[in-house]
Amino acid sequence: MNRIVEKEYFSANVVKIVIEAPLIAKARRAGHFVIVRVDEKGERIPLTIATSDTEKGTITLVVQKMGVSSTKLCNLNVGDSITDVVGPLGKATHIEKFGTVVCAGGGVGIAPLLPIVEALKKAGNRVITVLAARTKDLVILEKQIAEYSDEVVVMTDDGSYGKKGLVTHGIEEIINREKVDLCVTIGPAIMMKFVALLTKKYDIPTVASLNTIMVDGTGMCGACRITVDGQTKFVCVDGPEFDAHKVDFDEMLIRLGAYREEEMLAMEKFKNNK
Amino acid sequence: MQEDRNTPWRSALRQSMKPKERTAIERTKMNELDGDYRSRNSEEVNLGLTEEQAVIEAKRCLDCANPSCMTGCPVGIDIPGFIKNIERGEFLEAAKTLKETSALPAVCGRVCPQEKQCEAQCIYVKMGKQPVAIGFLERFAADYERESGKISLPKMAAKNGRKIGVVGSGPSGLSFAGDMAKLGYDVTVFEALHEIGGVLKYGIPEFRLPNKIVDVEINNLEKMGVKFIKNCIVGKTISFDDLKAEGYEGLFVASGAGLPNFMNIKGENLVGVMSSNEYLTRVNLMHAADDNFDTPIVRGKNVAVIGGGNTAMDSVRTARRLGAKRAMIIYRRSEEEMPARLEEVQHAKEEGVEFMTLHNPIEYIGDEKGHVVAMVLQKMQLGEPDASGRRRPVPIEGAVETIPVDQVIVSVGVSPNPLVPRSIEGLAVSKKGTIEVDADTMQSSIPTIFAGGDIVRGGATVILAMGDGRKAAAAMHNFLQEK
């Protein structure tokens, strides 16, 4: 169970893994996530599903080395098994024909954006995707995204690929050029915060898919709670997608750092033990 | 289920001592670890009774003709029946008697609020004396059997090959699974987490209910043919329709009340404020306090736990064990109204926990990094009784104080987990999110689906959850036979 059948390095710290999980592959929709526990000692971490193959019974995850558990996950090889994979969790993305949709993905957030881009395109939308990364090597899945996008705009911080600038520059250019009916954004919290600020200025409805700290991922612990429109919500059962204009991103950023010290100490210990 | 009290051995036993002699015996005391010693480790606090202590305590029971203790037990255990077996030294028989009605006696002996149930109805209470220590004796018999290695499996009916699914492996699901297996059904339990046992594993700490005791019960169910599938959420990983297509004829939903309540006060989302579910899950299920495990935990120095229930006691006692210098219970009513078991409150006090009753948090204050550093407490007084019959706490105007804290654990109850009810179309759910069932049969609006435990009750006890499981098993069996 949960055997890794394929592994690909997108960059030194970002890995794509394809896992045998037939039940999840069959049940999952765009927007769903899984909780993964890499081994008996591992943490439970939420990862949004990038794609699945119901015939082969596999799901694809894109993982970035962040803490000890995600690093251990990235270090697994084809043939290895992950101790626990549970899902699909969260509410699926609401898909309908909106008109023109701008999908903005940053870093590993591009991976969970892929199924949404695909579903929106298949529902008849004009899909313009903006992919953003620090540098060329970190722009992932461009080809797959392009397959379901009417247009792909690539933005890099250092200008090593596509246009130089932030994701918001790319989005604003499109907004100034044509009518946009919806924006979907997935990426680092700080990026989604600025995307939300921008689209709010232009009054464009915006959905953000959030990836917070979770333990069980089933509503039990409340570690993932955020404030949306003044109300506390649980990302795991009420989300992971929310109206980006109503999310308190500043609070979310603080909460994401709740265990930073412990995580750094653990990472140091992990490196020293190797 | 009561055994005949006029069998020769029992009549003779009754006559072997005068009631006066029996009532003259003082109630036994549980052997326990020293408060200071145990507040620094996770060893089980209660050590159990010795054989000698158990036999003496069993002698206190008058073997009443109409045992009122049984009316206090939500599952109707044959209490005098098992106690008299202890008195005559037939400890394995005592365990057998318990297991006729209770799927998890070693668990119930440890976590049931006996002082509000069986022991509250004991004839001794009416005589103005301390009740027979029914809970201690239950634990003794169950532990004796487990440690003897001679665990008896219940009588099993011939296998009928009919497939039944159970959602959730907590006390309700386990007791249902045991009863259905006994009746010959092919039972599969689906668990969302990576461990079997539900709240018995993620919630109740090791020092109150060691995991190995829960595992023995689970192993017994496996020996009875019950199958367990982890990491599988019915309604998400597999649908109710998938199960029907695979030939499942009935489903028992016991998915629990895993959605923690918060108070919606200012600062509640600061770093350092968390639910007791999160705190206990990190420590118990994820072993976060053990350096060999990856899940992090912050070890608070000034820890406030909000609430007065068993989960609050579990949290505050865990905080002490993780090194809190000051561990406080903040409860808005007085100690008298506290829903926690008496023993847990006493144990917490012995371990150095401070009780700030008639205090209610109204705000948490954070530092520039968004970490909680203080809480503002409103002092309360008791007013008129409310709907629950307990006196309503009323704020004392202007009586507010601010206390430094670096960790706050909110333990003010749970709501039904929406995951399963949401994903089964046509299932009648109350406004609160609990699954609506017939109170006698636990049958839901979908005839093949039964439900019990906290997903129906919204937050109750292990024993009530187990009782639901048993009731549902009997009713589903009737339903399937008539079908």
Side-chain angles (χ1 to χ4, degrees):
Chain A
M1 275 231 290
N2 311 327
R3 201 167 59 95
I4 296 175
V5 292
E6 207 186 308
K7 180 180 175 180
E8 184 186 336
Y9 277 93
F10 282 159
S11 69
N13 290 318
V14 178
V15 174
K16 176 185 111 170
I17 47 173
V18 181
I19 307 161
E20 273 175 356
L23 293 174
I24 301 173
K26 189 178 148 212
R28 76 107 205 172
R29 299 282 171 273
H32 279 148
F33 67 92
V34 288
I35 290 272
V36 169
R37 195 173 68 125
V38 61
D39 56 33
E40 290 296 333
K41 306 260 162 75
E43 225 181 310
R44 290 172 67 97
I45 47 176
L47 293 165
T48 308
I49 302 167
T51 56
S52 68
D53 185 326
T54 42
E55 264 169 46
K56 288 185 189 148
T58 58
I59 58 168
T60 300
L61 304 175
V62 175
V63 193
Q64 183 169 19
K65 289 183 186 173
M66 301 276 282
V68 174
S69 279
S70 56
T71 304
K72 285 200 279 193
L73 188 59
C74 289
N75 291 347
L76 292 182
N77 291 310
V78 171
D80 290 341
S81 284
I82 300 169
T83 302
D84 302 293
V85 179
V86 62
L89 292 159
K91 287 183 180 167
T93 309
H94 173 69
I95 299 291
E96 62 171 62
K97 192 174 172 186
F98 297 99
T100 300
V101 185
V102 170
C103 294
V108 278
I110 295 170
L113 193 63
L114 174 62
I116 299 173
V117 167
E118 179 182 343
L120 284 168
K121 183 66 204 164
K122 285 180 175 165
N125 292 284
R126 173 172 157 75
V127 180
I128 305 167
T129 310
V130 183
L131 304 181
R134 243 181 18 250
T135 184
K136 187 183 175 190
D137 293 345
L138 302 175
V139 178
I140 61 170
L141 298 167
E142 189 192 349
K143 212 178 99 212
Q144 290 87 334
I145 290 270
E147 209 178 311
Y148 299 104
S149 302
D150 293 273
E151 187 187 337
V152 179
V153 177
V154 177
M155 306 293 299
T156 49
D157 293 2
D158 61 1
S160 55
Y161 188 53
K163 290 181 193 166
K164 184 173 181 334
L166 298 173
V167 71
T168 40
H169 299 139
I171 299 171
E172 197 160 20
E173 228 170 77
I174 299 162
I175 294 172
N176 288 332
R177 185 182 77 192
E178 62 184 291
K179 184 176 172 288
V180 175
D181 298 290
L182 180 75
C183 177
V184 179
T185 180
I186 313 183
I190 189 78
M191 180 202 107
M192 293 191 282
K193 174 187 164 174
F194 283 102
V195 170
L197 285 173
L198 172 77
T199 56
K200 184 145 185 139
K201 200 169 81 183
Y202 291 97
D203 215 16
I204 296 165
T206 299
V207 174
S209 176
L210 311 182
N211 194 341
T212 50
I213 294 175
M214 294 184 189
V215 184
D216 61 290
T218 63
M220 225 174 70
C221 78
C224 64
R225 67 195 191 280
I226 53 158
T227 304
V228 182
D229 208 11
Q231 301 257 335
T232 292
K233 297 277 177 195
F234 287 10
V235 172
C236 64
V237 288
D238 299 320
E241 290 171 13
F242 295 94
D243 179 343
H245 296 159
K246 292 179 176 164
V247 172
D248 183 342
F249 281 106
D250 292 329
E251 180 190 88
M252 182 184 158
L253 279 160
I254 289 171
R255 292 186 59 76
L256 279 170
Y259 292 95
R260 193 145 293 152
E261 236 172 82
E262 288 75 18
E263 282 160 3
M264 274 161 54
L265 286 172
M267 201 59 209
E268 237 163 73
K269 197 179 144 207
F270 177 71
K271 280 182 185 155
N272 291 339
N273 283 349
K274 267 199 342 190
Chain B
M1 269 294 192
Q2 207 191 342
E3 207 182 302
D4 186 6
R5 72 192 275 278
N6 292 320
T7 50
W9 70 263
R10 198 143 149 199
S11 298
L13 197 64
R14 222 168 21 247
Q15 282 151 22
S16 69
M17 252 178 115
K18 289 191 185 114
K20 256 195 174 167
E21 292 170 322
R22 294 184 186 273
T23 58
I25 307 171
E26 286 286 309
R27 176 176 158 122
T28 188
K29 287 207 167 51
M30 173 56 74
N31 306 306
E32 52 189 45
L33 293 176
D34 169 69
D36 182 52
Y37 167 78
R38 71 186 191 233
S39 71
R40 282 176 275 121
N41 60 54
S42 63
E43 290 171 40
E44 190 178 12
V45 171
N46 283 352
L47 301 169
L49 302 181
T50 63
E51 288 182 26
E52 196 191 356
Q53 280 176 305
V55 171
I56 294 171
E57 184 62 26
K59 285 189 205 293
R60 293 181 73 222
C61 171
L62 301 179
D63 197 8
C64 304
N66 292 305
S68 47
C69 52
M70 285 179 65
T71 64
C73 175
V75 295
I77 287 177
D78 177 4
I79 293 169
F82 96 81
I83 292 183
K84 290 300 116 178
N85 268 311
I86 293 178
E87 185 182 340
R88 68 163 172 159
E90 292 289 343
F91 306 142
L92 290 174
E93 274 304 307
K96 238 186 227 171
T97 306
L98 281 167
K99 289 203 324 202
E100 274 165 24
T101 26
S102 166
L104 312 163
V107 174
C108 293
R110 286 171 166 82
V111 305
C112 259
Q114 289 95 1
E115 75 271 11
K116 287 181 189 145
Q117 298 178 350
C118 51
E119 294 183 16
Q121 304 300 324
C122 176
I123 186 87
Y124 275 71
V125 176
K126 285 162 205 134
M127 298 189 295
K129 288 176 186 282
Q130 292 248 63
V132 173
I134 301 168
F136 295 172
L137 291 173
E138 180 182 25
R139 173 189 157 142
F140 168 78
D143 284 359
Y144 182 88
E145 188 199 39
R146 188 183 61 254
E147 284 156 17
S148 74
K150 292 175 201 146
I151 296 179
S152 66
L153 287 185
K155 275 185 217 131
M156 307 280 293
K159 291 214 181 312
N160 62 21
R162 301 178 81 172
K163 283 164 93 171
I164 303 295
V166 184
V167 183
S169 66
S172 200
L174 292 180
S175 69
F176 173 89
D179 276 13
M180 289 305 267
K182 268 191 257 180
L183 291 164
Y185 291 91
D186 178 3
V187 184
T188 304
V189 180
F190 299 94
E191 167 57 47
L193 293 173
H194 60 262
E195 279 266 3
I196 302 299
V199 72
L200 306 175
K201 283 278 177 69
Y202 74 73
I204 304 175
E206 193 70 11
F207 58 80
R208 193 149 79 89
L209 177 64
N211 281 344
K212 65 168 201 272
I213 284 163
V214 183
D215 287 333
V216 168
E217 306 285 358
I218 293 163
N219 286 343
N220 283 342
L221 289 173
E222 277 175 339
K223 281 184 202 150
M224 288 162 63
V226 175
K227 283 172 268 193
F228 291 97
I229 298 181
K230 296 174 190 172
N231 296 318
C232 187
I233 306 174
V234 174
K236 289 280 181 190
T237 316
I238 40 171
S239 69
F240 176 51
D241 290 335
D242 289 337
L243 289 178
K244 269 199 288 193
E246 281 181 35
Y248 283 85
E249 294 185 59
L251 190 68
F252 180 60
V253 180
S255 47
L259 196 74
N261 294 340
F262 285 91
M263 291 167 68
N264 293 314
I265 58 176
K266 209 177 154 204
E268 214 170 19
N269 289 349
L270 287 167
V271 171
V273 182
M274 69 187 83
S275 72
S276 48
N277 262 5
E278 178 181 350
Y279 187 66
L280 293 173
T281 301
R282 282 181 186 275
V283 177
N284 299 336
L285 182 76
M286 305 310 296
H287 309 282
D290 181 338
D291 277 350
N292 295 313
F293 286 77
D294 297 349
T295 301
I297 187 94
V298 173
R299 293 169 185 262
K301 289 288 163 230
N302 283 310
V303 185
V305 176
I306 318 300
N310 287 321
T311 312
M313 298 305 144
D314 287 343
S315 302
V316 80
R317 296 172 68 196
T318 298
R320 276 290 284 159
R321 284 162 172 77
L322 296 194
K325 287 209 171 65
R326 192 177 186 196
M328 297 166 269
I329 282 285
I330 314 292
Y331 182 55
R332 63 194 180 125
R333 302 178 198 251
S334 76
E335 199 174 311
E336 207 174 306
E337 288 83 23
M338 266 191 189
R341 293 175 84 218
L342 219 61
E343 188 183 52
E344 309 314 326
V345 175
Q346 274 166 8
H347 280 168
K349 285 182 179 169
E350 288 162 14
E351 290 162 14
V353 170
E354 270 177 66
F355 280 70
M356 296 187 74
T357 52
L358 292 166
H359 280 78
N360 199 33
I362 50 174
E363 186 186 343
Y364 301 109
I365 299 168
D367 63 9
E368 69 289 348
K369 287 189 205 145
H371 289 243
V372 67
V373 289
M375 64 178 171
V376 183
L377 296 176
Q378 166 71 58
K379 289 189 186 165
M380 314 292 279
Q381 60 188 1
L382 292 179
E384 295 300 307
D386 63 12
S388 73
R390 297 179 295 179
R391 291 179 66 191
R392 185 192 304 274
V394 203
I396 304 170
E397 213 178 308
V400 166
E401 66 179 307
T402 302
I403 288 183
V405 285
D406 58 4
Q407 194 166 43
V408 175
I409 295 153
V410 182
S411 187
V412 294
V414 281
S415 295
N417 193 309
L419 226 54
V420 178
R422 242 185 224 169
S423 62
I424 300 177
E425 222 174 297
L427 189 66
V429 174
S430 75
K431 268 195 190 135
K432 282 183 178 167
T434 52
I435 296 178
E436 290 182 344
V437 295
D438 179 297
D440 294 322
T441 62
M442 311 309 287
Q443 191 171 29
S444 76
S445 60
I446 298 171
T448 52
I449 299 183
F450 291 62
D454 281 359
I455 193 65
V456 166
R457 296 173 178 272
T461 57
V462 168
I463 187 78
L464 286 169
M466 274 184 37
D468 288 352
R470 308 215 57 206
K471 216 197 278 180
M476 190 188 279
H477 178 55
N478 279 339
F479 171 77
L480 291 174
Q481 277 189 316
E482 281 163 22
K483 229 170 88 170

